[in-house]
Amino acid sequence: MSSKQLKFLFIGAHPDDVEMGAAGTILRLKQSGHWIGIIDLTQGEMGSRGSAETRKAESKEASTFLALDSRDNLNLGDAKIENTENNRAKIAEQIRSHKPDFVFCNAPKDRHIDHGYAAQLVLDACFLSGLRKFHNENDIAPHRPHNVFHYIQDYYIEPSFVVNITSVYEEKMKAILCYKTQFFTGSEQPGPQTPISSPEFLEFFNGRASQMGRLISKRYGEGFIAHQPIDAEEMNWFDN
Ligand SMILES: [Zn+2]
């Protein structure tokens, strides 16, 4: 774990969720000099292709490519993420440790059942980490992020805001293709076909980025849903 204070913390149910939903935003935030961390809630060990070991190696490669400042894995169990007090406490500990202003998490409702469960789990943990007495035996300063944003995954959801990722789109795709067992990288990989392993999935993915970009009259975008209204002070309209 890094001791750096992260302004932005990205959390995903599976290794590759954050890259797919928000790697363009991460690349742009890194260009602006921000420290960025990712927490994966599971090892993705239930995926039809790859193993916990191969996915760990792929996630390490993607982390290096994105120049992340920290990446942790809580190993909560793939395809069995539950919103339990124990899991909320584990995430609250991470929130108190990293003290992010903004947390990004999975889509609130999606094709993979873990995504919705993970989203609510993270929302609840972000609230609870602000309570001094919640699972805080070492009396670490409580911390509650200013806002939590959901990245948009398989199901289309109308975004609250869109980040223009046109300038980093090619780099985003390189980060995603670090997960060689999961996606089509030019040649057929061993293992069964999955809903995301075909060349057609990458076409869909490209279309989604184009669709999000269109909403803000840019070529490619990443859309996000804000859990709470966005504070207008954070839109850089006003001189401080
Ligand atoms: Zn996932």
Side-chain angles (χ1 to χ4, degrees):
M1 187 185 300
S2 165
S3 58
K4 292 175 177 177
Q5 184 180 332
L6 305 173
K7 187 168 180 176
F8 303 90
L9 177 64
F10 293 76
I11 302 178
H14 312 109
D16 77 15
D17 281 356
V18 170
E19 281 88 347
M20 291 175 72
T25 301
I26 290 175
L27 285 158
R28 289 209 53 205
L29 289 170
K30 288 298 296 182
Q31 287 175 351
S32 298
H34 293 292
W35 287 335
I36 303 290
I38 292 180
I39 297 172
D40 301 306
L41 299 182
T42 78
Q43 297 180 308
E45 69 274 14
M46 292 290 280
S48 303
R49 290 157 56 124
S51 62
E53 288 70 34
T54 55
R55 298 197 73 172
K56 188 174 178 184
E58 290 169 350
S59 142
K60 193 159 180 239
E61 192 183 333
S63 305
T64 303
F65 184 81
L66 292 170
L68 297 179
D69 298 285
S70 75
R71 187 165 201 157
D72 298 289
N73 194 307
L74 298 187
N75 198 11
L76 303 185
D78 190 8
K80 45 190 160 188
I81 290 181
E82 289 185 82
N83 191 351
T84 62
E85 182 168 357
N86 197 27
N87 286 346
R88 290 191 288 272
K90 285 181 185 171
I91 297 171
E93 187 184 333
Q94 295 280 333
I95 303 288
R96 289 182 186 129
S97 160
H98 289 299
K99 304 196 185 315
D101 289 338
F102 302 101
V103 168
F104 293 72
C105 67
N106 288 93
K109 183 171 170 53
D110 206 35
R111 187 182 65 81
H112 196 303
I113 61 165
D114 273 349
H115 295 169
Y117 292 133
Q120 191 60 49
L121 171 61
V122 171
L123 285 175
D124 292 354
C126 285
F127 173 78
L128 293 167
S129 60
L131 300 181
R132 179 172 289 281
K133 292 182 181 170
F134 176 76
H135 283 265
N136 196 1
E137 291 74 17
N138 298 320
D139 200 27
I140 303 168
H143 180 79
R144 186 171 292 145
H146 297 179
N147 210 336
V148 182
F149 303 129
H150 302 273
Y151 41 86
I152 293 167
Q153 301 188 262
D154 207 71
Y155 289 178
Y156 178 80
I157 305 175
E158 192 75 18
S160 311
F161 65 94
V162 176
V163 174
N164 176 13
I165 61 161
T166 308
S167 63
V168 294
Y169 188 67
E170 281 183 28
E171 298 297 290
K172 171 177 178 167
M173 294 313 292
K174 285 181 192 167
I176 288 170
L177 295 180
C178 290
Y179 293 88
K180 296 178 192 68
T181 60
Q182 304 301 304
F183 303 107
F184 184 77
T185 56
S187 61
E188 208 52 61
Q189 295 287 314
Q193 284 293 316
T194 74
I196 61 172
S197 67
S198 67
E200 290 78 15
F201 174 76
L202 294 178
E203 274 182 37
F204 156 77
F205 196 73
N206 186 65
R208 171 61 61 75
S210 175
Q211 175 188 39
M212 288 294 168
R214 179 79 181 163
L215 295 173
I216 54 167
S217 303
K218 302 292 188 303
R219 186 166 179 192
Y220 294 118
E222 280 173 345
F224 298 92
I225 307 152
H227 176 61
Q228 297 175 170
I230 294 169
D231 180 351
E233 296 294 335
E234 284 161 355
M235 293 194 286
N236 293 329
W237 286 359
F238 312 109
D239 293 331
N240 291 319

